[in-house]
Amino acid sequence: MNNETILNAYKRYAPVYDWVFGKIFHPGRQAALDAMNWQTGDQVLEVGVGTGLSLPDYPADVTVTGIDLSKPMLDKARKRVKDDALSNVTLHCMDAQKLDFPDQTFDKIIVLYVLSVVPDPYQVLAEIRRVCKPGAEVIFVNHFSKENPLIRRIEAGLARYASGLGFQPDFPLQPVLDNVGLEVQEVRAVNMLGYWTMVHGRHVEQP
Ligand SMILES: C[S@@+](CC[C@H](N)C(=O)[O-])C[C@H]1O[C@@H](n2cnc3c(N)ncnc32)[C@H](O)[C@@H]1O
C-alpha cells in the first residue's frame, strides 16, 4: 500500500462510507469517546477523521482538530461540521505519517480504524508520540489479526489484496503495543463479535 492506493480507495469509499461503515463501526467510536477522561479545554487530535462520524459526539468544551489524507472524505466531514454547527472542530488535509503540528501539542489523541489503513503505521505511532503532551491520553480502535488459525489464514490470504481493499487485513497487535510508547491501561474488544480492539493508554516520557 502507498498513499496513492489509499487515496484511490477512499475516493471510491467516500460517497457510500457512512452507509457501509457508519453503524457497524459506531460502538467502537462510542467506546473510545466514553473511555477518555475529558477535561474542559482539552486539545484533541483525531487522526484519520474520515467523514467525521465521531465529531458530533465530542464534548462541546474541548477543541478538536481532525486530519485526513483524503479530500473526498474530508469534504463529507466539513459538511457535517457545518450542518451540525460544530464550532469546536477544525479540519485539515494532512498525512498522519508527517503531522504538521509542533511537538507536545495535544492532550488527547484518537485514532479510529486508521492504523491498518496507512502504509507505515509505525511512523504514525512515532508522530503521535511526538505531538502529544507528556501524559496525554491516546486511544486506538482497529482490527488486529486474530489468534484463530482459520481466520489468520484467511487474513494472510487477503493480505495480497491490501492495495485494492485500502487496508491491511493481516495486522498483529503485539508489534503495535511494542512501538506505541504508551503505558497501556486497557485493551478491550469492541464492535460486532468483538472483532475490533480498543487500546487505551497514556503517553510516557522516553528515557
Ligand atoms: C476506515 S477510515 C476511518 C474513518 C473514521 N476514523 C471512522 O471512524 O470512520 C480510514 C481513514 O484513514 C484515512 N487515512 C488513510 N491514510 C491516511 C494518512 N496517511 N493520513 C491521514 N489519514 C489517512 C483515510 O482517508 C480514511 O478516511
Side-chain angles (χ1 to χ4, degrees):
M1 285 198 300
N2 55 44
N3 279 357
E4 199 186 329
T5 58
I6 301 297
L7 286 170
N8 284 335
Y10 281 91
K11 194 173 170 183
R12 286 198 310 273
Y13 285 143
V16 295
Y17 187 88
D18 290 3
W19 188 72
V20 178
F21 298 110
K23 276 209 176 103
I24 196 169
F25 284 172
H26 184 72
R29 293 186 192 98
Q30 197 61 57
L33 288 167
D34 289 348
M36 278 292 190
N37 298 296
W38 298 112
Q39 305 291 324
T40 298
D42 273 343
Q43 292 292 329
V44 185
L45 174 65
E46 183 170 334
V47 175
V49 67
T51 62
L53 284 161
S54 58
L55 294 175
D57 294 326
Y58 280 91
D61 61 354
V62 304
T63 300
V64 182
T65 302
I67 68 113
D68 202 283
L69 191 65
S70 164
K71 191 171 171 305
M73 294 290 277
L74 272 179
D75 285 346
K76 296 261 176 192
R78 290 206 165 95
K79 180 170 183 324
R80 193 182 310 277
V81 166
K82 189 164 174 243
D83 290 351
D84 293 7
L86 301 172
S87 57
N88 60 331
V89 176
T90 310
L91 298 170
H92 301 280
C93 195
M94 196 183 290
D95 186 346
Q97 299 161 118
K98 198 168 179 281
L99 292 173
D100 192 12
F101 299 114
D103 298 357
Q104 302 189 358
T105 301
F106 296 100
D107 302 290
K108 309 275 193 287
I109 300 189
I110 293 198
V111 193
L112 303 169
Y113 314 109
V114 176
L115 280 185
S116 55
V117 160
V118 291
D120 187 350
Y122 301 108
Q123 178 58 28
V124 175
L125 295 175
E127 279 294 85
I128 286 171
R129 281 159 71 168
R130 184 181 67 75
V131 301
C132 69
K133 293 180 185 171
E137 268 181 86
V138 180
I139 294 186
F140 305 103
V141 175
N142 213 84
H143 164 65
F144 295 100
S145 307
K146 298 291 168 203
E147 296 303 316
N148 179 312
L150 176 64
I151 297 181
R152 273 315 293 266
R153 225 166 339 145
I154 294 171
E155 289 173 345
L158 284 173
R160 79 185 80 150
Y161 304 111
S163 291
L165 291 168
F167 70 95
Q168 180 52 263
D170 190 19
F171 188 58
L173 174 60
Q174 193 55 51
V176 171
L177 294 180
D178 293 344
N179 278 274
V180 77
L182 297 176
E183 179 187 283
V184 176
Q185 296 169 329
E186 188 183 11
V187 177
R188 169 152 61 101
V190 293
N191 290 344
M192 211 172 36
L193 307 174
Y195 193 67
W196 286 262
T197 303
M198 180 178 86
V199 179
H200 181 188
R202 192 171 281 282
H203 174 266
V204 284
E205 297 274 13
Q206 299 307 301

